[in-house]
Amino acid sequence: MNEHEETAIFAGGCFWCMVQPFEERPGIKKVISGYTGGFVPNPTYEQVCRHETGHTEAVKIIFDPTIISYKELVQIYWQQTDPTDAMGQFQDRGDNYRPVIFVKDQTQRQIAEESKRSLENSGRFSEPIVTKIEAAQAFYPAEEEHQQFYQKNPRRLALEEAGGRKDFIASHWSK
């Protein structure tokens, strides 16, 4: 990484659905689908889906902070998830789909916590905001077939988004 590269890690349900909203923004250099927060090194997709590793599906974003800030990324993140659902996201259920902002340092933690407080105080949601903010752990890139899934398999992605994510985003964030 060079001086104009930072990283951010977000978990918001199926990682297939989390890539495109970030990848298409100016200043984003790369979005990697992967696994983090577990206890097994180099987990496979099948192991994570079977809840054998403790990992959460997540995306690691490499970005240029002179073009897009971490604060902006956190705001994009909120608008892709249901922050009131601790046990998954939309049709994706289980701890491997839980919503988490993984922070790499105190600066990211402060930004994420301030953003969460702001969302809690906004009145946008009637239920409590349950998204966790946790220290970043080892991140393991997912298998190649899971990278840029929205480009490789748009029909399958459309089925995933039909599980409620798209409608939820429209009803909660289009105002």
Side-chain angles (χ1 to χ4, degrees):
M1 292 235 279
N2 65 42
E3 64 185 85
H4 295 294
E5 285 185 352
E6 288 283 333
T7 60
I9 300 175
F10 301 114
C14 173
F15 50 33
W16 296 340
C17 300
M18 293 293 291
V19 175
Q20 187 176 8
F22 291 102
E23 195 166 71
E24 296 181 340
R25 304 290 175 125
I28 302 301
K29 295 185 171 200
K30 189 170 189 174
V31 181
I32 304 162
S33 295
Y35 318 106
T36 192
F39 51 84
V40 174
N42 298 306
T44 66
Y45 182 73
E46 290 76 21
Q47 288 174 311
V48 173
C49 287
R50 289 191 308 259
H51 308 276
E52 296 173 353
T53 68
H55 286 91
T56 301
E57 287 191 15
V59 290
K60 181 177 188 175
I61 301 162
I62 301 170
F63 66 100
D64 181 340
T66 66
I67 299 172
I68 189 166
S69 69
Y70 181 74
K71 183 176 181 178
E72 289 171 291
L73 293 178
V74 172
Q75 194 58 37
I76 295 165
Y77 168 78
W78 290 125
Q79 294 180 32
Q80 308 312 311
T81 67
D82 177 353
T84 68
D85 186 352
M87 291 312 301
Q89 291 290 287
F90 313 103
Q91 78 279 6
D92 299 316
R93 309 312 305 157
D95 60 348
N96 55 320
Y97 296 118
R98 65 194 181 98
V100 184
I101 298 172
F102 290 97
V103 295
K104 69 174 191 160
D105 57 26
Q106 262 321 106
T107 301
Q108 284 190 355
R109 181 174 294 281
Q110 182 180 355
I111 292 167
E113 288 176 352
E114 285 175 9
S115 182
K116 183 177 177 179
R117 273 192 301 279
S118 177
L119 184 59
E120 288 169 335
N121 294 331
S122 73
R124 185 177 291 273
F125 295 95
S126 56
E127 299 293 318
I129 304 301
V130 296
T131 299
K132 300 280 188 207
I133 299 170
E134 298 179 4
Q137 298 180 38
F139 181 90
Y140 301 98
E143 299 83 348
E144 183 55 38
E145 66 261 24
H146 300 294
Q147 304 302 330
Q148 282 66 46
F149 190 84
Y150 75 96
Q151 293 172 338
K152 295 175 182 174
N153 207 331
R155 283 194 199 132
R156 176 70 193 275
L157 182 67
L159 284 174
E160 291 295 320
E161 290 189 335
R165 184 182 298 264
K166 192 174 182 179
D167 291 341
F168 182 89
I169 291 168
S171 69
H172 287 85
W173 295 103
S174 63
K175 298 168 188 153

